[in-house]
Amino acid sequence: MNHLVRDHLPLILQGLGIIIGALLIGGFVKWLLFRFLAIYNRRFPRYWIAGVLQCLDRPLFYFLPLLVLSMVLPVVPLRPDALEVFRRVVEIALTCAFAWTLIGCVYVVQYRIRHKYQLDKADNFKERKLYTQLQFVKRVVIITIVFFTVCLILMSFPTVRKIGTGLVTSAGIAGVILGFAAQRSIGNLLAGFQIAFTQPIRIDDVLVVENEWGKVEEITLTYVVVRIWDQRRLILPLNYFIEKPFQNWTRTSVELLGTVFIYLDYTAPLEEMRKELNRLLPQNHLWDGRVGILQVTDFKERTMEVRILVSAADSSSAFDLRCWVREKMITFLQQNYPESLPVTRTAGPSESPKLPFVPMEEAVT
């Protein structure tokens, strides 16, 4: 045994030296490349370079050394059977690292788009449309990359390749069975494509769904996350937004009209209220100046319904503006016209006039 190890020790050391040297060369190339990109990005900032530095650091840390190692494998002094096993391991690792690098490239594109098109501005209709498509396409591309990577790894084994060839003949039957078993999942996937490109909803859209008000926080391949105003999360399947009605307050624009209903006595001074409303609205920055109307919209048995219509740049501003107008108008009425607030009037039964008593004989005559 000692003689065997002594005889093969130079070859073992040579093989280890080649493997370690190849890995070090690949690591050095990666370090040199990223060092150059970092220096260049400091002098000439670019979003895509920043995305590469952030998203491809770890994937290339494995991919480049494995790539150099695969290139020098023929000169590694190993027996043919051992070399074949080692080559298979390196190929599988290289395939996984390459898939990881491709996924990193997807995230570089996402990083570039998200830093060029920001959601934190008033008119973000174009950005929300783009984000919705980007999120769905990104998931589909990543799933496709993972799927083909697994297929390539499995098909590299001869036994699996033979099994796969036999399974092709029964693919039609298997497809029908899987179609029935996963029809809901397939339906959600198709609904996802429809939502991504027809866009009844988008990222950051304001919805009223299931009697809840909230914003679309995330759209996955199977469900939608709606962030409700009180920070709860409503999870709904994608099919819901294809099959059931819902309200989308930001479908075409973010501007919105807000209503305030006040129920007052019939003695309320409508003209004075209109003057007060016109005086108050310019004082609040939430009002965008488009609409500011006070109207009587209905009569009740004891009160009349006064509707105040105001406009705002978005739904959140409209809600806060409605609350502010409601408070100010009630305060105005309390201080100046308290009698115009709803009251319940009660009155006793009117007394019947007393008639003089007339005897029956006189009444008849």
Side-chain angles (χ1 to χ4, degrees):
M1 185 67 179
N2 293 334
H3 291 287
L4 185 62
V5 172
R6 192 183 308 114
D7 293 339
H8 291 83
L9 184 59
L11 294 177
I12 294 174
L13 292 178
Q14 182 182 354
L16 287 176
I18 294 174
I19 293 172
I20 295 174
L23 295 176
L24 290 177
I25 291 174
F28 177 74
V29 170
K30 181 263 175 186
W31 176 85
L32 194 63
L33 174 63
F34 273 65
R35 183 67 176 172
F36 170 76
L37 290 177
I39 295 173
Y40 183 85
N41 192 52
R42 281 198 295 268
R43 297 190 61 183
F44 309 100
R46 296 290 186 275
Y47 285 131
W48 70 269
I49 297 180
V52 169
L53 294 174
Q54 178 175 325
C55 303
L56 290 180
D57 185 19
R58 294 293 297 277
L60 289 180
F61 177 79
Y62 294 98
F63 175 69
L64 290 178
L66 288 171
L67 179 63
V68 176
L69 178 60
S70 66
M71 295 171 62
V72 300
L73 271 182
V75 299
V76 176
L78 291 175
R79 296 194 311 272
D81 53 348
L83 181 61
E84 178 63 22
V85 173
F86 187 65
R87 184 187 63 80
R88 184 66 55 82
V89 172
V90 172
E91 284 182 355
I92 293 174
L94 184 62
T95 302
C96 294
F98 181 67
W100 191 4
T101 303
L102 290 179
I103 293 174
C105 293
V106 174
Y107 279 96
V108 170
V109 175
Q110 176 182 269
Y111 182 92
R112 172 72 175 83
I113 293 176
R114 287 194 170 181
H115 282 76
K116 183 177 181 180
Y117 303 98
Q118 298 290 333
L119 282 177
D120 53 352
K121 61 180 184 179
D123 187 11
N124 59 0
F125 177 78
K126 179 181 178 182
E127 287 74 13
R128 290 187 291 110
K129 179 179 180 180
L130 184 62
Y131 272 45
T132 302
Q133 294 177 341
L134 172 66
Q135 193 174 53
F136 186 81
V137 171
K138 181 195 74 173
R139 288 188 171 92
V140 171
V141 171
I142 290 176
I143 290 176
T144 304
I145 292 173
V146 173
F147 174 76
F148 279 104
T149 301
V150 173
C151 290
L152 285 174
I153 293 174
L154 292 178
M155 295 302 288
S156 65
F157 297 95
T159 305
V160 177
R161 191 183 301 117
K162 292 179 181 178
I163 295 175
T165 304
L167 289 177
V168 169
T169 58
S170 59
I173 299 175
V176 172
I177 295 174
L178 288 176
F180 279 109
Q183 55 182 334
R184 282 191 170 273
S185 300
I186 295 174
N188 273 325
L189 183 62
L190 295 177
F193 277 106
Q194 186 173 348
I195 287 175
F197 294 99
T198 62
Q199 296 196 340
I201 59 173
R202 292 175 294 269
I203 297 296
D204 211 41
D205 263 351
V206 177
L207 307 181
V208 176
V209 56
E210 295 292 317
N211 296 322
E212 298 283 0
W213 182 95
K215 289 187 175 183
V216 177
E217 183 177 53
E218 184 180 4
I219 301 176
T220 71
L221 293 176
T222 55
Y223 61 87
V224 176
V225 180
V226 179
R227 184 180 73 252
I228 303 175
W229 65 273
D230 57 1
Q231 298 186 354
R232 290 178 293 148
R233 300 298 190 274
L234 184 63
I235 313 297
L236 296 167
L238 286 174
N239 276 335
Y240 182 95
F241 297 94
I242 303 299
E243 300 172 354
K244 295 185 179 181
F246 60 94
Q247 296 183 37
N248 189 336
W249 289 7
T250 54
R251 178 69 178 87
T252 56
S253 66
V254 295
E255 297 173 341
L256 203 65
L257 297 181
T259 55
V260 175
F261 289 100
I262 306 177
Y263 296 92
L264 301 173
D265 189 73
Y266 286 101
T267 61
L270 298 177
E271 289 302 323
E272 297 300 323
M273 292 176 63
R274 287 192 180 96
K275 292 178 182 178
E276 181 65 12
L277 178 65
N278 293 331
R279 185 186 70 84
L280 288 173
L281 286 178
Q283 300 176 9
N284 196 316
H285 70 280
L286 298 176
W287 185 55
D288 62 5
R290 292 186 298 118
V291 178
I293 302 174
L294 186 147
Q295 296 172 315
V296 177
T297 53
D298 198 4
F299 286 131
K300 305 294 182 181
E301 182 181 356
R302 294 182 176 86
T303 60
M304 63 178 176
E305 181 184 80
V306 177
R307 185 188 71 178
I308 298 174
L309 201 61
V310 293
S311 59
D314 53 61
S315 58
S316 299
S317 300
F319 179 82
D320 293 337
L321 181 61
R322 289 168 57 200
C323 295
W324 183 81
V325 169
R326 193 179 291 117
E327 294 172 3
K328 293 296 183 181
M329 293 303 294
I330 290 297
T331 302
F332 169 75
L333 292 172
Q334 287 174 343
Q335 293 176 352
N336 298 278
Y337 303 96
E339 69 279 359
S340 65
L341 297 175
V343 294
T344 301
R345 296 181 176 86
T346 58
S350 58
E351 296 182 355
S352 301
K354 293 183 178 180
L355 299 175
F357 176 74
V358 180
M360 181 63 67
E361 294 81 358
E362 295 182 8
V364 172
T365 59

